[in-house]
Amino acid sequence: ILESLLATVAVFLVTRYILNMSLSFSIVLGALAAATAPASTMMTIRQTGAKGDFVDTLIQVVALDDIVGLVLYSMAISIAIASGSGGGVNVSSVIMPIVINIGVVILGGLFGLLMKLLMTKRSTDNRLIIALALIFLFCGICAVLDISPLLGCMSMGMVYINTSEDDKLFKQLNYFSPPILLLFFVRSGINFNLSALV
């Protein structure tokens, strides 16, 4: 937690007081500094086949770091929007993102329990279909409500693995994830506007 927060504080102080950027922009950049890229860590662990206490701790630290980053970012965006609209920053603009994130975590946990109930005595293919259907359903609900599904998906996986102790599903999803990651990077490249650099 300190690693995430210290990066946030350092970037905020530099952008606000050394580079003289606006308060709202500095807050958002500071919140973004807390985030790390878990995909590169996971791919390195997978490629090297590393196992043990260090790897288990590293994965948990990366997950916790991303949770802190997501909560900080949602709070920072709300504060930036509130201060940019001229209405001023109030308590609700800070509290509401926390309440929404707690709600998403609870909903994700419920989906994790539902996944555990639906996975009993299923074939390998059916387990993959059920898991993907629940993930897409959860992400669809979050898209309709205009909230980020990331914390909820983490909560879904956490509740499922701790209630079922079934890691075979995660290995199945690992084989399915490369095309999804590829789509993400292609879509990111399509949205990149080179003229913004000039």
Side-chain angles (χ1 to χ4, degrees):
I1 292 172
L2 278 175
E3 180 266 331
S4 299
L5 294 180
L6 287 175
T8 298
V9 170
V11 170
F12 172 75
L13 291 175
V14 168
T15 54
R16 178 67 179 145
Y17 297 107
I18 296 176
L19 301 176
N20 293 321
M21 294 182 175
S22 67
L23 178 64
S24 58
F25 191 62
S26 298
I27 289 172
V28 172
L29 284 180
L32 285 172
T36 56
S40 58
T41 305
M42 295 301 296
M43 293 301 282
T44 304
I45 290 170
R46 188 187 302 173
Q47 286 177 355
T48 58
K51 293 178 182 176
D53 292 339
F54 176 75
V55 172
D56 294 340
T57 305
L58 179 65
I59 291 171
Q60 293 172 20
V61 167
V62 169
L64 182 62
D65 187 53
D66 283 342
I67 290 170
V68 172
L70 287 168
V71 172
L72 282 177
Y73 180 73
S74 59
M75 289 172 57
I77 285 292
S78 297
I79 292 169
I81 291 172
S83 64
S85 63
V89 179
N90 52 27
V91 176
S92 66
S93 64
V94 177
I95 298 296
M96 272 312 285
I98 296 173
V99 171
I100 290 170
N101 283 322
I102 289 172
V104 169
V105 167
I106 292 170
L107 183 63
L110 293 174
F111 267 75
L113 287 174
L114 179 62
M115 187 184 297
K116 181 195 179 267
L117 294 173
L118 294 175
M119 287 296 174
T120 54
K121 297 178 182 177
R122 303 279 182 182
S123 69
T124 303
D125 291 342
N126 287 338
R127 288 163 53 86
L128 184 60
I129 291 168
I130 290 169
L132 291 175
L134 286 174
I135 291 169
F136 286 137
L137 176 62
F138 179 77
C139 291
I141 291 170
C142 289
V144 168
L145 298 175
D146 197 26
I147 53 179
S148 172
L150 295 176
L151 277 177
C153 286
M154 291 174 78
S155 172
M156 187 190 310
M158 179 192 69
V159 168
Y160 178 77
I161 194 67
N162 283 287
T163 56
S164 68
E165 296 182 0
D166 170 32
D167 63 343
K168 292 178 184 175
L169 179 65
F170 288 93
K171 290 174 182 172
Q172 275 185 283
L173 291 173
N174 271 340
Y175 290 115
F176 186 82
S177 60
I180 304 294
L181 291 172
L182 183 66
L183 286 172
F184 167 76
F185 286 111
V186 170
R187 188 177 182 277
S188 300
I190 289 171
N191 290 331
F192 186 72
N193 186 6
L194 287 173
S195 63
L197 297 175
V198 184

